[in-house]
Amino acid sequence: AQTVTQSQPEMSVQEAETVTLSCTYDTSENNYYLFWYKQPPSRQMILVIRQEAYKQQNATENRFSVNFQKAAKSFSLKISDSQLGDTAMYFCAFMKFEDSNYQLIWGAGTKLIIKP
Amino acid sequence: NAGVTQTPKFQVLKTGQSMTLQCAQDMNHEYMSWYRQDPGMGLRLIHYSVGAGITDQGEVPNGYNVSRSTTEDFPLRLLSAAPSQTSVYFCASSYSPADSYEQYFGPGTRLTVT
């Protein structure tokens, strides 16, 4: 069975610093998708970044980038020039979809606090 | 577009009561799903639907029923509420998970069962 592990329950950094959140997953599949979602105190779930497993190039979205290591089954999120608005829970998620079968597995989350 | 809407935002039930959590989307998404979020855990999939008339169970389906009579609506029914169902419930939709399209989430419903 697929699992997703986020080993850092909570992290805090100073504003403008760079922070990396870790995520590892376990699967025997070759084709799948990986996501990072952000959940601010408003509770709304917001997609931060997405990575297709067949793509070797790491995904980037403005200040957010990932380090996707397929062989190591690692999918870390790097936030550069962190801002106060980045304070939130961050969830890593793994998705496999085949025919009509669907599976989305979520990590337990990392609470990120950006300090002024 | 209103996106994904959920009602109610908060609900308190007594053990044994039944209720329906409403979810609607106006983006013509085929795929809809229900999750529950508990402290210290990631989201867990309850039920999902790949189109009108088609539903399937997720990771934690016991105690919940769903139906999908229209593309827009995907209600979640609690037949006999239990304290273990105290949680925050999220509804989500997307064009197609096969294309890894972004899932759009509703604002959530905080349910307390006493």
Side-chain angles (χ1 to χ4, degrees), chain A residues 33 35 37 39 42-47 50 52 91 95 97 100-102 104-109, chain B residues 9 31 35 37 40-43 45 48 88 90 97-98 100-103 105-110:
Chain A
Y33 308 108
F35 305 87
Y37 275 85
Q39 187 180 39
S42 67
R43 211 169 64 193
Q44 184 71 37
M45 295 291 285
I46 304 165
L47 178 66
R50 165 178 54 220
E52 289 87 344
F91 292 95
M95 186 174 83
F97 187 89
S100 295
N101 293 321
Y102 155 88
L104 185 65
I105 308 296
W106 295 72
Chain B
K9 285 189 169 52
Y31 182 85
Y35 295 92
Q37 183 179 27
M41 302 182 70
L43 277 70
L45 183 66
Y48 66 97
V88 178
F90 288 96
S100 79
Y101 283 116
E102 174 183 356
Q103 288 203 40
F105 284 81
T109 295
R110 183 177 294 277

Side-chain angles (χ1 to χ4, degrees), chain B residues 19-25 29-34 46-57 61 63-79 91-92:
Chain B
M19 80 160 295
T20 299
L21 306 185
Q22 301 292 343
C23 174
Q25 51 89 12
H29 286 169
E30 287 297 317
Y31 182 85
M32 296 185 74
S33 55
W34 276 103
I46 304 172
H47 286 284
Y48 66 97
S49 169
V50 298
I54 306 169
T55 64
D56 207 345
Q57 296 180 350
Y64 308 95
N65 276 358
V66 293
S67 60
R68 185 94 178 271
S69 57
T70 66
T71 298
E72 294 77 20
D73 301 298
F74 190 44
L76 177 72
R77 281 182 288 277
L78 282 70
L79 303 175
C91 178

Side-chain angles (χ1 to χ4, degrees), chain A residues 2-3 18 27-28 46 57 60 64 74 83 88 95 106 110 114:
Chain A
Q2 286 87 354
T3 59
T18 295
T27 184
S28 57
I46 304 165
Q57 187 173 6
T60 300
F64 299 88
S74 172
Q83 301 174 358
M95 186 174 83
W106 295 72
T110 296
I114 308 299

